[in-house]
Amino acid sequence: MNHYKLSISEINKLFKDKKLKPSELYSEVFERAANTESIIHGHLTLFQDENIKKAADADKRYENGTELGILDGIPIAIKDNINIAGYATTCSSQMLSNYISPYDATVITKLKDEGVMFTGKTNLDEFAMGSSTENSAFGPTKNPWDPSRVPGGSSGGSAAVVSAGSAIASLGSDTGGSIRQPASFCGVVGFKPTYGTVSRFGLVAFASSLDQIGPITNNVEDSKILFNSMKGFDPFDATSGKESKTKQPKLKNAKIGIIKELMEDGISEDAKLEVQKVAKLLESQGHEIVEVSLPLTKMSISIYYLIAPAECSANLSRFDGVRYGNRVAGNTSYEMMENTRAEGFGPEVKKRILLGTYALSAGYYDAFYGQALKARAMMKKEFTETYKEVDYLISPTTPSDPFKFGEKSDNQLEMYMSDLCTIPANLVGMPAISIPTGLSSNGLPLSVQIMSPANTDNTLLEFSQKLESVVSFTSLPEIKGDVS
Ligand code: GLN
């Protein structure tokens, strides 16, 4: 029997009952990786050899009955923009191809304390900028459901390895949808917590007011376990963990709003039908479904593509060959920095830096960045008002099912549109989860997204678990060319 698609609590029970050893699961997961990685390319690096002793130690803890907790001995993959001491953090960029992290991100310290074993580092769009992993400097990841299609992005590697079974769960980062969109494309669960609940210390910054680390898992319960083990205040991240007391949405007889603007133009028929199907399921669970209008969601892409590049242009200034980044020689220090940045960054990253620098430059600041901040504040207000009427909001996670390689890479606007439904949660700072619920007419995964007010993460997860229990979806694709 394969164990790589079991839930974390099922695995933990097998460990405790001595029916499975952590080292056996570990071998199974790496064997699965050996059979699938040549097709999927989800991991950039696998930590197989380094972990043999750790797996044996975990075996002993269970044998002696001294296990630490639910995550002890669980193999988890980490997006390659999160630092693990002693290992490369490349952000899928030539700029950092030689960078070895000297420290652990706070989430890594927390997971190590729980006995987690890291399978390796996963592929992403360079510096987390993209929606398909086509922007990785080390080649794209393929979608396990159909390798001619993208796995989504930017956490495409993290979603693909969970879907393929070469990790039990993974961590991703989400600035405008990078956990939820790839989770949806690969038919797994992706959860973006409330901004600030999980420390960003040790995550390479893209857009600091939007970035959030979160889990990608086979089921909602696993996301809940990982979220609760990672959340909390961290003195190294001033924005982290300050949970405020918030009125929680209802779990029974809840009122759920379908966002009208995310069921209109640009959303495929399949995606709309999926939301309607799930709405019926929710009604059968005793909830009330209403339609709500949030007109500013239509502006979210425009707002995001001013704020995110502006913050990225500031954050990425440290990659100059002096502070960070592979140095490329020049006759003067200016020329050296110019060469370093010209050679180190790929085209999408350069474009964002240019856009952001322009939006922040004197004379344009008020017209672009300043306006975007105002629109963001108005959008937050629109959501706050709506949550006075409803407990949760629901929409498709993505406008369509996974697209083919090359299909959108020449049409930037269309690529950016693939985050239409996910960006609002980052701009507002609220939690949002993507749950796979069915298949499109192409036989590919489709998901719905559920959102709730900031600081109601565990209630949202509990609510989602109830929905998941009435959805029949298998998250194990048959990988073409996979012989195991
Ligand atoms: N796809 C979006 C972008 O390219 C979001 C990326 C993310 O969430 N990291 O910016």
Side-chain angles (χ1 to χ4, degrees):
M1 178 198 171
N2 292 326
H3 299 98
Y4 47 74
K5 279 282 167 176
L6 293 182
S7 72
I8 292 173
S9 58
E10 281 166 337
I11 293 171
N12 183 257
K13 185 161 182 343
L14 291 176
F15 285 167
K16 283 185 172 162
D17 294 347
K18 302 197 170 40
K19 291 188 176 140
L20 176 71
K21 287 182 185 177
S23 61
E24 286 164 356
L25 176 69
Y26 166 82
S27 308
E28 209 183 287
V29 164
F30 277 96
E31 196 183 309
R32 181 73 181 159
N35 288 329
T36 57
E37 278 295 330
S38 60
I39 305 161
I40 303 302
H41 185 48
H43 281 95
L44 290 175
T45 32
L46 278 165
F47 300 168
Q48 185 157 11
D49 296 340
E50 301 91 304
N51 272 326
I52 291 174
K53 182 166 176 325
K54 283 188 194 140
D57 288 346
D59 284 358
K60 278 198 207 107
R61 287 198 290 276
Y62 281 98
E63 273 160 32
N64 301 335
T66 54
E67 78 278 359
L68 293 169
I70 187 93
L71 286 168
D72 197 7
I74 303 290
I76 289 179
I78 306 295
K79 187 176 181 179
D80 204 18
N81 60 352
I82 299 174
N83 285 324
I84 305 182
Y87 291 99
T89 303
T90 67
C91 294
S92 289
S93 178
Q94 290 298 355
M95 180 65 88
L96 289 176
S97 58
N98 295 321
Y99 176 73
I100 305 290
S101 174
Y103 71 101
D104 280 329
T106 299
V107 291
I108 297 298
T109 309
K110 289 195 176 206
L111 294 183
K112 276 185 178 170
D113 288 349
E114 300 255 359
V116 163
M117 278 187 296
F118 302 115
T119 58
K121 302 298 285 292
T122 56
N123 200 12
L124 63 150
D125 286 293
E126 186 176 4
F127 284 102
M129 296 173 202
S131 306
S132 64
T133 75
E134 288 168 291
N135 298 338
S136 166
F138 307 122
T141 295
K142 309 283 171 69
N143 191 316
W145 288 78
D146 176 354
S148 72
R149 292 177 190 263
V150 305
S154 65
S155 315
S158 286
V161 299
V162 176
S163 166
S166 57
I168 300 298
S170 65
L171 295 191
S173 66
D174 192 311
T175 307
S178 277
I179 289 175
R180 291 159 287 155
Q181 187 255 16
S184 173
F185 276 10
C186 294
V188 289
V189 171
F191 177 54
K192 183 203 86 72
T194 297
Y195 176 75
T197 44
V198 174
S199 167
R200 287 180 291 113
F201 179 72
L203 166 71
V204 178
F206 163 10
S208 308
S209 78
L210 303 162
D211 295 343
Q212 183 64 62
I213 294 174
I216 297 179
T217 57
N218 283 309
N219 56 70
V220 179
E221 190 196 27
D222 289 359
S223 277
K224 199 170 167 188
I225 291 169
L226 277 165
F227 166 65
N228 284 295
S229 68
M230 294 191 295
K231 70 172 187 173
F233 178 67
D234 173 14
F236 294 123
D237 174 3
T239 61
S240 72
K242 296 196 174 109
E243 273 180 86
S244 54
K245 286 224 162 37
T246 310
K247 187 173 156 274
Q248 299 296 311
K250 284 203 259 174
L251 284 167
K252 279 192 186 149
N253 305 322
K255 201 167 173 182
I256 299 148
I258 298 182
I259 304 177
K260 180 173 156 279
E261 289 75 13
L262 298 182
M263 293 290 277
E264 292 176 345
D265 296 350
I267 306 290
S268 70
E269 277 313 302
D270 276 354
K272 287 184 208 164
L273 285 173
E274 201 58 29
V275 171
Q276 280 151 7
K277 179 188 99 183
V278 171
K280 290 223 164 60
L281 283 176
L282 289 165
E283 271 175 343
S284 72
Q285 289 187 307
H287 305 300
E288 185 190 349
I289 305 288
V290 293
E291 188 185 70
V292 296
S293 175
L294 286 144
L296 286 173
T297 49
K298 287 258 185 205
M299 281 178 65
S300 54
I301 304 251
S302 316
I303 302 171
Y304 176 85
Y305 277 99
L306 284 167
I307 292 178
E311 293 184 16
C312 122
S313 70
N315 276 327
L316 270 63
S317 65
R318 73 193 65 165
F319 302 105
D320 56 9
V322 179
R323 288 168 290 179
Y324 292 96
N326 292 329
R327 181 178 296 188
V328 181
N331 291 325
T332 60
S333 56
Y334 180 81
E335 211 179 273
M336 180 278 287
M337 285 186 201
E338 194 176 72
N339 292 345
T340 296
R341 287 168 74 80
E343 283 193 29
F345 290 136
E348 183 65 27
V349 174
K350 283 182 187 156
K351 188 166 73 192
R352 307 262 183 133
I353 293 173
L354 286 172
L355 265 174
T357 309
Y358 184 77
L360 288 175
S361 56
Y364 295 104
Y365 184 97
D366 285 340
F368 294 114
Y369 186 65
Q371 289 297 329
L373 288 185
K374 279 186 202 150
R376 182 183 189 177
M378 284 164 66
M379 192 170 168
K380 271 192 189 172
K381 200 157 166 255
E382 210 172 77
F383 275 85
T384 309
E385 288 302 314
T386 307
Y387 281 127
K388 288 183 185 158
E389 307 298 323
V390 299
D391 294 286
Y392 306 92
L393 291 166
I394 180 171
S395 75
T397 306
T398 55
S400 69
D401 61 2
F403 47 88
K404 293 211 164 182
F405 282 99
E407 199 178 314
K408 294 190 198 260
S409 42
D410 291 335
N411 186 341
Q412 278 306 310
L413 200 58
E414 264 203 40
M415 185 69 96
Y416 291 174
M417 288 302 282
S418 54
D419 296 310
L420 177 68
C421 307
T422 47
I423 285 175
N426 300 80
L427 291 173
V428 171
M430 61 191 166
I433 187 165
S434 175
I435 307 167
T437 51
L439 297 178
S440 67
S441 40
N442 295 322
L444 296 162
L446 281 174
S447 300
V448 297
Q449 172 179 241
I450 311 179
M451 294 173 269
S452 63
N455 296 308
T456 63
D457 300 59
N458 271 312
T459 312
L460 173 63
L461 287 162
E462 208 174 310
F463 181 80
S464 304
Q465 249 178 304
K466 293 213 166 84
L467 168 63
E468 182 188 45
S469 69
V470 292
V471 169
S472 51
F473 183 86
T474 162
S475 69
L476 184 63
E478 192 187 319
I479 301 173
K480 284 178 196 135
D482 164 26
V483 285
S484 66

